[in-house]
Amino acid sequence: MKPIIRLGYIDLSFHAASAALVQRVLERHDYEVLVSAAPHEDMFRRYGAGAVDMLASAWLPASHGDYLAPYAAQTRTLGVLYRPYCIWGVPDYVPVDAVQSVADLLRPEVATRMTRLIQGINPGAGISRFSRAIVQQYGLDRLGYHFENGIQADCFVRYEQAHARREWCVVPLWHPQFLHHSHRIRPLDEPLGLLGGQDDATLIVSEPFARDMPAALLEELNRLSPGNEVISELDHSICRDGMSALQAADAWLARSAAL
């Protein structure tokens, strides 16, 4: 009978992409992989309660550090799958001499053109927490800018529609993410440092479970590091090409093996 491992991931498409790559590694080592997804805080609570054995992934130290902190002592960190960072971005057709920094959104000639709604994703995401702080601490709310939470499609489709209309808009986003695979989005300078900096998207596993895993498997998981561009590509395959996460992972793995 195959050993079973319960692999969890945060319920966003790019997390599904990286989890699919991890799943294929585990399966090559003859594990049966039971996969589940949940929103940010819920997934870390499930991990802490022992409902999942491995999580792909924890963004450390900034975005998910507080979520993992209660369970850090029982956790082994493995490979860094990619290095995410959050941005406030604008379409590349917005002139850099007009809008280079978040603070430029306060300029009257910019505020009259910029869409005031800043559409985000779910409230537990790091970019959502950071964005709420930016709106308040830069005083953007005084000019009618407002951040709204929503599902992934609310954020991404709204950006694509605004881009098609050549609107001036701000998108609260991150790398890796599929929009970067098909659009040139320019990050704004954010001098107050509220976006959290670069994290390590770290594969984590409960220490009791890790002690029973083969050394060769742990070594391979430590080496697994597809990077930002690959995850953005897989995310695009999932969200815009209609592939499942495993189909996208398998197609990329096949191309990589052929190189």
Side-chain angles (χ1 to χ4, degrees):
M1 180 180 297
K2 293 184 177 182
I4 294 173
I5 185 167
R6 297 166 299 173
L7 173 64
Y9 67 89
I10 294 166
D11 195 10
L12 294 169
S13 56
F14 61 94
H15 284 293
S18 62
L21 294 176
V22 173
Q23 179 177 346
R24 289 311 194 212
V25 172
L26 293 166
E27 289 172 344
R28 285 201 300 268
H29 287 261
D30 211 31
Y31 276 80
E32 180 181 349
V33 185
L34 305 181
V35 180
S36 63
H40 293 74
E41 293 144 298
D42 289 347
M43 179 48 70
F44 278 91
R45 281 193 289 265
R46 295 188 72 232
Y47 171 77
V52 296
D53 309 302
M54 180 178 285
L55 199 160
S57 58
W59 287 16
L60 304 174
S63 294
H64 302 159
D66 288 346
Y67 297 153
L68 181 60
Y71 321 117
Q74 68 193 53
T75 294
R76 185 181 301 191
T77 59
L78 298 174
V80 175
L81 301 172
Y82 52 94
R83 289 185 164 83
Y85 57 95
C86 293
I87 67 168
W88 268 27
V90 295
D92 63 344
Y93 53 76
V94 176
V96 67
D97 58 353
V99 188
Q100 183 172 356
S101 165
V102 171
D104 290 333
L105 298 174
L106 295 167
R107 296 168 58 188
E109 64 271 27
V110 172
T112 57
R113 291 201 61 178
M114 191 68 64
T115 302
R116 308 299 175 86
L117 171 61
I118 300 168
Q119 180 62 59
I121 59 169
N122 71 71
I127 185 61
S128 297
R129 302 197 311 274
F130 303 153
S131 295
R132 288 191 291 269
I134 288 173
V135 169
Q136 293 177 354
Q137 294 195 36
Y138 281 88
L140 297 173
D141 48 346
R142 295 197 299 268
L143 293 183
Y145 291 99
H146 55 106
F147 175 80
E148 299 289 342
N149 290 117
I151 61 173
Q152 289 189 83
D154 294 331
C155 176
F156 308 153
V157 172
R158 188 180 189 285
Y159 178 80
E160 290 170 321
Q161 292 173 343
H163 188 279
R165 294 191 292 263
R166 307 284 288 183
E167 291 179 9
W168 285 27
C169 64
V170 174
V171 59
L173 209 57
W174 56 88
H175 286 270
Q177 205 279 332
F178 78 84
L179 287 173
H180 299 294
H181 190 70
S182 53
H183 294 79
R184 288 180 294 177
I185 300 171
R186 179 167 55 82
L188 299 180
D189 295 338
E190 196 279 285
L192 295 183
L194 301 177
L195 283 170
Q198 181 176 274
D199 277 327
D200 288 339
T202 307
L203 182 62
I204 61 173
V205 61
S206 68
E207 183 59 41
F209 196 92
R211 286 195 290 265
D212 293 330
M213 297 176 74
L217 171 57
L218 291 171
E219 182 180 351
E220 186 170 352
L221 292 172
N222 274 313
R223 292 196 312 267
L224 183 64
S225 185
N228 288 6
E229 289 189 10
V230 168
I231 298 302
S232 291
E233 178 185 343
L234 298 184
D235 194 28
H236 190 275
S237 296
I238 295 166
C239 293
R240 290 297 176 265
D241 296 336
M243 293 186 183
S244 70
L246 285 175
Q247 287 172 335
D250 288 341
W252 181 80
L253 289 167
R255 290 195 303 273
S256 299
L259 294 178

